[in-house]
Amino acid sequence: MTRRTATNVLLDTALKNFYGAAEEMELSENLIAVLGSSERRLEVSVPVEMDDGSIQVFKGYRVQHSTAIGPAKGGIRFHPDVDVDECEALAMLMTWKCSLAGIPYGGGKGGIACDPLTMSMKEKERMTRAFAARIAPIIGTWQDVPAPDVNTGGQEMVWLMDTVSKLRGHTEPGTFTGKPISYWGSKGRTAATGYGVATCGIELLKVLGREPKDAAVAVQGFGNVGSYTALTMAAAGAKVVAISDVTGTYCSPKGLDVQKAFDHITAHPKKLLEGFTCSGCEKQGLSDVLFVDCDLLFPCALEGAINEKTAGQVKAKNIVEGANGPVTPEGDAILDEKGVLVVPDFLANSGGVIGSYFEWAQNLSGYFWTEEEYNNRLIHIMKGNFKLVWDYAQSRKVKMRRAAFMAAIQRVADVERLRGVFL
Ligand code: NAD
């Protein structure tokens, strides 16, 4: 049977990864054809009255790759590069991420091709509300549940939810996640992704017969994901020997005071490590964090950080991917040759989407959990998912990234097989 290809690099890679794993799993050609296509690719026009009185028409998209397991789930991105193929690639990845996480969702993604950094708040609000009205027919608690992504956050979720609630004549909390705590959001969400990333690091040490207290750790990126990853590793007893952000690498072989670094960024107007110091701390260049000799390296900043140029210099014995796609396929091949073990992003950073599921579950029941309940449930799920992928990788003798793909595809394929192909 023919395979799809795409001119968009992200979509082409997503398809190739899927076909590669599906063939290794000996998935039937029928299932490969079904799961290699998206259920729905919606393009909408989004007319916005700008502050100068002119009308600008933006293009918006929402792609639902699969709703086999449950409602589509995935973010809404505001960025000039957004297009329908990029949304499809990211929607497909969401299908696998939600499946692997064991939560009752399929995969979706959407966005508007725009440059929000050049727009006023009022322009952004009008654009977000117009987009909400355009995609309203295909989103809903049991249809498709969007969330924040690049350049969108709690404020955009409030505009989206408020618009859909007004259109439908009732409060619609379960249609969006990533909302502020004061408006149907959930305690625990801010730390969830980093908490989950660190949990994977701790579980990895465990299966390798090590303990956090004997491990040296480096974290690239000290934003939302990186800071909570570093704090959680430090709380577990690990020695955090390097952290970094756009202002450089901060390291100490004796271990850094991570709480002090967190307090520093909290007080800094741009949330940066600029000016941070503590006992034994030395400042180094931007990329140096990647080359620190340590047991666990957590790349939690940008995609493509570990690539054909940088992978050869990595000294860490294990990598846990906190960011999305921090290791390129070329980087991955080099790390593999060096024997570096990589815990893949869509397992390691799934605490974010599991947190979204918790928010949705609370919204459905109208009952809010404590932060402690939230964290205990998150750790329980992350540990189980880590074990699932680790065992799968050991039994099939494949790398964790391939194992994660295979386990994720398997669950969706099983449900597709049970449901049949009517629609
Ligand atoms: P963020 O903007 O809060 O933090 C990014 C951090 O990376 C900042 O400290 C920034 O200074 C630093 N950084 C940027 N470029 C750098 C460079 N070249 N070298 C070193 N540091 C650099 O973003 P975030 O929410 O923490 O997201 C980080 C990554 O994790 C992204 O890939 C994102 O897609 C992914 N992710 C985030 C979540 C979430 O819940 N926030 C969930 C899943 C995946």
Side-chain angles (χ1 to χ4, degrees):
M1 198 173 279
T2 52
R3 299 281 185 258
R4 279 178 75 197
T5 55
T7 47
N8 178 290
V9 180
L10 216 54
L11 180 55
D12 204 50
T13 308
L15 288 167
K16 280 188 183 132
N17 279 334
F18 165 64
Y19 292 137
E23 276 159 21
E24 198 160 333
M25 296 162 64
E26 296 176 2
L27 207 64
S28 76
E29 285 298 332
N30 287 339
L31 279 169
I32 291 177
V34 170
L35 295 175
S37 313
S38 280
E39 290 178 14
R40 188 175 277 125
R41 287 166 43 118
L42 176 72
E43 177 181 318
V44 295
S45 65
V46 185
V48 180
E49 185 175 348
M50 307 305 280
D51 290 344
D52 65 5
S54 66
I55 304 281
Q56 208 169 317
V57 182
F58 297 91
K59 273 194 175 159
Y61 309 95
R62 185 73 191 169
V63 177
Q64 295 163 349
H65 167 252
S66 170
T67 57
I69 289 179
K73 185 89 196 81
I76 288 179
R77 180 174 289 200
F78 290 174
H79 194 275
D81 295 340
V82 167
D83 69 24
V84 71
D85 282 345
E86 181 189 90
C87 289
E88 180 170 11
L90 298 169
M92 192 179 222
L93 290 177
M94 285 304 296
T95 301
W96 312 139
K97 193 183 246 190
C98 293
S99 169
L100 184 70
I103 55 181
Y105 296 134
K109 203 82 176 190
I112 303 178
C114 67
D115 185 359
L117 306 180
T118 63
M119 299 171 75
S120 70
M121 277 296 270
K122 277 287 157 202
E123 288 170 340
K124 268 195 286 187
E125 177 176 354
R126 288 192 286 268
M127 179 178 76
T128 308
R129 289 182 181 279
F131 179 63
R134 288 287 201 243
I135 65 167
I138 64 156
I139 60 170
T141 306
W142 296 105
Q143 281 174 285
D144 183 350
V145 183
D149 195 76
V150 176
N151 290 327
T152 60
Q155 177 61 75
E156 284 74 17
M157 295 307 112
V158 171
W159 289 329
L160 289 162
M161 175 180 152
D162 183 61
T163 307
V164 171
S165 296
K166 280 174 176 146
L167 285 171
R168 295 187 182 158
H170 57 252
T171 311
E172 275 277 328
T175 300
F176 300 95
T177 60
K179 306 180 294 292
I181 292 178
S182 56
Y183 193 52
W184 292 89
S186 177
K187 284 184 189 145
R189 173 63 186 91
T190 311
T193 306
Y195 211 40
V197 172
T199 302
C200 282
I202 293 165
E203 291 306 293
L204 178 63
L205 289 171
K206 232 185 250 172
V207 294
L208 297 175
R210 306 278 311 276
E211 282 187 53
K213 70 175 175 51
D214 303 321
V217 163
V219 183
Q220 185 203 31
F222 206 69
N224 176 269
V225 179
S227 63
Y228 285 104
T229 298
L231 278 173
T232 311
M233 288 310 299
K239 193 157 60 164
V240 180
V241 293
I243 55 176
S244 79
D245 70 5
V246 281
T247 66
T249 297
Y250 301 76
C251 47
S252 163
K254 287 192 318 186
L256 296 159
D257 184 340
V258 183
Q259 185 60 51
K260 193 174 175 202
F262 185 77
D263 294 342
H264 184 92
I265 60 158
T266 308
H268 190 281
K270 291 185 183 160
K271 306 275 171 269
L272 292 173
L273 288 165
E274 185 180 36
F276 168 71
T277 190
C278 64
S279 163
C281 176
E282 188 192 315
K283 192 170 171 202
Q284 295 186 358
L286 195 61
S287 304
D288 289 329
V289 67
L290 299 174
F291 313 134
V292 168
D293 194 1
C294 60
D295 300 289
L296 285 178
L297 169 63
F298 294 91
C300 300
L302 297 176
E303 59 187 50
I306 300 172
N307 50 43
E308 74 276 18
K309 292 196 188 108
T310 54
Q313 301 169 65
V314 168
K315 294 195 197 72
K317 290 150 201 84
N318 306 287
I319 292 178
V320 181
E321 296 183 325
N324 281 322
V327 179
T328 64
E330 297 77 21
D332 222 6
I334 296 169
L335 294 176
D336 196 33
E337 261 172 43
K338 286 160 63 111
V340 179
L341 207 150
V342 180
V343 179
D345 50 4
F346 74 106
L347 166 63
N349 69 29
S350 61
V353 75
I354 294 168
S356 289
Y357 162 56
F358 289 171
E359 181 179 335
W360 179 81
Q362 291 171 75
N363 291 166
L364 289 183
S365 63
Y367 178 78
F368 291 103
W369 307 348
T370 63
E371 193 159 346
E372 199 188 356
E373 283 175 283
Y374 185 103
N375 288 340
N376 288 341
R377 287 179 160 128
L378 180 65
I379 291 191
H380 179 72
I381 294 181
M382 290 298 308
K383 281 184 175 177
N385 293 348
F386 180 90
K387 184 173 183 329
L388 178 93
V389 176
W390 178 261
D391 290 349
Y392 203 104
Q394 299 299 306
S395 66
R396 310 256 174 151
K397 301 203 177 349
V398 292
K399 287 195 291 172
M400 283 191 87
R401 192 184 306 284
R402 182 48 72 89
F405 258 109
M406 291 166 80
I409 293 168
Q410 191 65 57
R411 179 169 177 232
V412 187
D414 288 347
V415 174
E416 283 285 5
R417 214 178 281 119
L418 283 169
R419 294 185 62 173
V421 293
F422 165 64
L423 261 181

